[in-house]
Amino acid sequence: MKKINFLFGKILLILFISLVSSFAFAQIKTKIPDATSKISLQPDLIGLCDGATVVVPIYLTANNVKGMSFVIDYDHNVLTPAPDTIPFVYPGFEVTALNYHYPGMPNTTVVQIIKSGWVGTDFDNTKVVELGFIYHKIPSADGPIHLRRSADDAWPFCEVVDPLGNDIVINIFEDNSISGNYLPTAVLSGTVITCAGEPVDLNVALTGAAPWVVTYTDGTTPHTVTIPSSPNTISVSPTVNSIYTITNVTDANLCSNVGTGTGTVTVNPLLPVSVSIVADVNPVCESTLVTFTATPTNGGTLPVYQWKVNGIDVGTGGDTYAFVPFNNDVVTVVLTSNAVCPTGNPATSAPITMTVNPFLPVSVSIAPDANPVC
């Protein structure tokens, strides 16, 4: 009887365990409805410059990922794959650019990202991959564009499993808005003849967002100026013949470019102006006509002379002047040169002070050695 009771109890225990196990198994196979996952291409990329490299990080939030295969599309007129491979955070990804265009989206190209073989991997807003593109600002896409999930649901997007082994679908997708600006331009022009060290203006026309920071050079020394509006001018003061170019222009959008055009400045040397005078005779007797002659240095082709006697203007503008001086008369001349790039113009000569001697009465007397005589 004890054996029977023991066997019966054992059977009841087995049945109880089986019942509990069946109930637990049924609970395990029940899908958890709150399981979620998310793909994010945030943050937005704004204020880009034409030709800039765009690095798009892709973040995944999910539980027990067992593999990944998803696609994004992009406008290949605006974005083209960067020439250098952007390193992946997780090794072993396969990234494939496919020549597939969606209906109604003729300028889009698909990038498929595949990673398989994971077992129970968790992600918490983790950057799993980075994609590199070159941004192109074009008139037909002046508004923001978006890197987004493919519009074709036939593509597997991302395969993940919930904590109980059930397949779930990525149900949150944050796309990435991309916008930017054209590169600024700066065109330098002007052909100028000037004197050494004298400031002259070269013309500059700019596009982009004001103000602009412009770096220009004569081939030797760079200079940087801020230009508030366009068109405008750049002031230069060369001492030798110079050709100027713009090596960089940066606008208010912080986009930079190389300028075009040249500004040519021909520099004439500085010519010191001076004049000297001589009198044909000095000292002289009173009432004597004296001729003064001026000798110019860098007087140009049409020099003008202003003679002065004791500070009073005299003469007719020629390089000679004649008059009858009085004693201590002071004679000078002022030369105005028409030479190119004169300095010290007009120039005044050193003075000549006249010495005029008066006439001396001439007389003679005689006396005999004896008078009367025998």
Side-chain angles (χ1 to χ4, degrees):
M1 178 61 77
K2 288 183 179 181
K3 267 189 178 183
I4 293 174
N5 290 338
F6 175 79
L7 182 59
F8 181 76
K10 190 173 182 180
I11 292 172
L12 289 176
L13 178 60
I14 292 172
L15 290 174
F16 176 79
I17 293 173
S18 298
L19 181 61
V20 171
S21 298
S22 297
F23 179 80
F25 181 78
Q27 292 298 312
I28 290 173
K29 295 302 289 183
T30 301
K31 183 175 182 178
I32 297 176
D34 294 332
T36 60
S37 56
K38 179 177 72 172
I39 287 286
S40 172
L41 275 70
Q42 300 297 320
D44 289 341
L45 300 171
I46 60 175
L48 300 174
C49 302
D50 183 34
T53 298
V54 180
V55 178
V56 181
I58 299 178
Y59 297 86
L60 176 64
T61 300
N63 296 321
N64 291 333
V65 172
K66 69 176 183 180
M68 179 187 296
S69 177
F70 67 92
V71 296
I72 61 173
D73 64 68
Y74 64 93
D75 185 338
H76 63 72
N77 289 325
V78 179
L79 295 174
T80 55
D84 297 328
T85 301
I86 302 299
F88 299 127
V89 174
Y90 287 90
F93 282 92
E94 177 185 350
V95 179
T96 306
L98 306 177
N99 295 320
Y100 182 88
H101 300 160
Y102 294 109
M105 303 168 66
N107 294 323
T108 59
T109 299
V110 171
V111 172
Q112 185 177 20
I113 302 174
I114 302 171
K115 173 66 178 179
S116 59
W118 277 330
V119 178
T121 304
D122 293 338
F123 293 89
D124 182 14
N125 198 33
T126 301
K127 181 167 63 176
V128 296
V129 69
E130 291 179 325
L131 301 179
F133 297 94
I134 303 297
Y135 172 75
H136 306 282
K137 177 70 173 177
I138 58 175
S140 61
D142 279 344
I145 67 167
H146 298 270
L147 288 175
R148 56 195 174 269
R149 176 181 175 177
S150 166
D152 190 341
D153 290 336
W155 286 94
F157 182 59
C158 186
E159 182 185 11
V160 298
V161 294
D162 66 17
L164 300 180
N166 301 290
D167 288 340
I168 61 174
V169 177
I170 295 292
N171 52 22
I172 300 175
F173 183 83
E174 299 176 0
D175 69 1
N176 190 306
S177 178
I178 298 176
S179 62
N181 305 285
Y182 296 104
L183 295 184
T185 63
V187 181
L188 188 64
S189 63
T191 300
V192 186
I193 299 175
T194 188
C195 302
E198 291 292 322
V200 294
D201 289 336
L202 300 175
N203 301 315
V204 59
L206 304 116
T207 64
W212 297 266
V213 177
V214 173
T215 300
Y216 65 93
T217 181
D218 59 1
T220 302
T221 305
H223 304 272
T224 299
V225 294
T226 298
I227 299 179
S229 60
S230 177
N232 217 301
T233 58
I234 293 175
S235 180
V236 296
S237 302
T239 56
V240 295
N241 294 343
S242 301
I243 297 177
Y244 291 88
T245 59
I246 293 177
T247 58
N248 185 78
V249 53
T250 301
D251 68 359
N253 294 322
L254 300 182
C255 295
S256 298
N257 200 2
V258 177
T260 59
T262 59
T264 301
V265 182
T266 300
V267 177
N268 290 315
L270 299 180
L271 301 178
V273 176
S274 63
V275 62
S276 62
I277 57 174
V278 293
D280 60 350
V281 58
N282 188 28
V284 296
C285 295
E286 61 181 336
S287 301
T288 302
L289 181 68
V290 178
T291 299
F292 297 83
T293 302
T295 301
T297 299
N298 296 321
T301 58
L302 293 173
V304 176
Y305 300 90
Q306 178 60 65
W307 292 93
K308 295 178 181 288
V309 176
N310 300 322
I312 306 300
D313 291 348
V314 294
T316 58
D319 61 353
T320 62
Y321 173 64
F323 80 114
V324 176
F326 292 99
N327 190 44
N328 292 325
D329 277 348
V330 177
V331 179
T332 58
V333 73
V334 177
L335 166 65
T336 300
S337 170
N338 74 333
V340 176
C341 300
T343 62
N345 190 39
T348 301
S349 69
I352 292 179
T353 301
M354 295 301 301
T355 299
V356 178
N357 297 315
F359 289 117
L360 299 177
V362 176
S363 63
V364 63
S365 63
I366 60 173
D369 58 354
N371 187 24
V373 296
C374 295

